[in-house]
Structure formats: C-alpha cells, structure tokens
Amino acid sequence: MTMVAMLSRVSDIRATLDQFSAATAPVKSAATTAAGSAASSTFADALASASGAAAAGTATANPGSATGEGVVKAAEKYLGVPYVFGGEDQSGMDCSGLVQKVYADMGITVPRLVSGQMKIGTEVASLAEAKPGDLIVTGGGDHILIYVGNHKVIHAPYEGRTVSKVEAYMDDSEITTIRRVIPDAPAAAAGSTDLVNAAFASLLKGGSR
C-alpha cells in the first residue's frame, strides 16, 4: 500500500469512526464530540509521525542504491589514471581525489581531503572485518585507500604511479582508521501494518502517562 493510499485509508477510518459514534450516541455533548475528533486526529497524527520516522530511518541507512561492490566497480574504472597531487578527475588524481570521485559516481558526497574522509561513516574495528567499499586510512591521515575485498585495495599511490589495485600491504598496526560509509544492511521500509501498530503504540504510551 502506498503512503497516499494509506493516508486516504486513515481518512476513511476516521470518517467511519465518526459515523459509528454518531449512530451509537445520538445525543452527545460538545465536549464528547471534541474528544472523539481529537482522538481520531491524534491517531492520524501518530500514524503520520510513524510513517515519517520510518522514511527518515530509511534515508539515513541507505544512501541511494549504493553498495560496497558498486564502489569497487566505480573505482576500477580509474585504474591506470596517473597520480597528480590535487587531481580529482580522469586526467589525474591523488588518493583523496580518487575517493571523492568514486563516491560521487555513486551519488554520495564526501569531503575532499583525507582529514575529512577519515571521519565519515562508522569505524570498522580491524582489517579482517573490512568489506568492499570501506575506506582505509594510514599514516595518521597521510593516505587513504578503498578496500576491494580478498585483502586487496585500490588507491592512487604517489607521483610517478597510477591508480592501482594491489594487495593490502598494511596491517592493523599501520592503520589509523577504517571507515564504512555504506551501512551493512539498509533498513527496510516499514509496512503499512507496522506503521498502524506503531501509531497505536504511540497513542497507548501517551495515554499511560
């Protein structure tokens, strides 16, 4: 059920509740009518709040349709591009320029310099736990590489070299941080039943105060 259809259904339920109340209690005080209207409005508000929270959670957990494997494929397109200090395109790029360009290709904006890139996402405890697309920072922030998987990395090494895929030559003692920009498992969008349940739960919680 789409969000529009769900909200329309809520309006139908509200109207039905109002009709039912009118049929079972022909004579009602203004206070009772106001209370019933407020209750139905509160439910609609709670449902809207629950659906909004679900949408926000999904957006936070899933940066577009990007995947770690997609990051690796994007990085592989730049293999052979010469290292150029300050470069950030196919004519030449440095290590952080490569990272920024690759993630931009995936629709994800990241800082330009390693000093900013080493703070994004969440930290990964060790190289053994790294997954494709993770960023490996070495030298206290001097260099950044993209983890490919199978103990390999892609990076723009230094002047005179090109963007290369090589064995991960560092160990945990040489790694400053490993950052995971793309979450492990994007949060699934809540179904309509879940949203209704969340709305009822919100109302019950509010009533128990």
Side-chain angles (χ1 to χ4, degrees), residues 63-182:
S65 58
T67 64
E69 290 76 11
V71 169
V72 171
K73 289 181 180 178
E76 289 175 339
K77 294 187 303 184
Y78 300 106
L79 293 175
V81 170
Y83 178 95
V84 173
F85 181 75
E88 49 191 32
D89 58 35
Q90 289 185 322
S91 65
M93 52 182 61
D94 59 16
C95 63
S96 56
L98 170 65
V99 167
Q100 185 187 51
K101 178 61 175 170
V102 166
Y103 272 88
D105 289 350
M106 300 302 296
I108 301 172
T109 301
V110 303
R112 172 61 181 87
L113 303 178
V114 179
S115 58
Q117 294 171 356
M118 65 189 292
K119 298 174 184 176
I120 61 178
T122 57
E123 187 160 28
V124 177
S126 68
L127 185 59
E129 298 176 50
K131 294 184 177 180
D134 289 351
L135 303 177
I136 301 175
V137 178
T138 61
D142 287 339
H143 193 52
I144 191 164
L145 315 88
I146 299 172
Y147 189 67
V148 174
N150 297 320
H151 210 257
K152 294 183 183 296
V153 294
I154 290 177
H155 68 146
Y158 48 80
E159 198 73 41
R161 296 282 303 276
T162 63
V163 175
S164 308
K165 181 192 293 187
V166 298
E167 288 289 328
Y169 54 83
M170 73 294 295
D171 58 33
D172 287 330
S173 67
E174 300 171 289
I175 294 174
T176 302
T177 186
I178 301 174
R179 311 302 298 186
R180 181 161 299 154
V181 182
I182 299 174

Side-chain angles (χ1 to χ4, degrees), residues 43 47 50 191-204:
F43 176 79
L47 180 59
S192 58
T193 300
D194 293 336
L195 293 176
V196 172
N197 289 340
F200 274 119
S202 176
L203 288 175
L204 290 174

Side-chain angles (χ1 to χ4, degrees), residues 25-53:
V27 179
K28 295 192 292 185
S29 67
T32 301
T33 302
S37 177
S40 61
S41 296
T42 301
F43 176 79
D45 292 342
L47 180 59
S49 176
S51 63

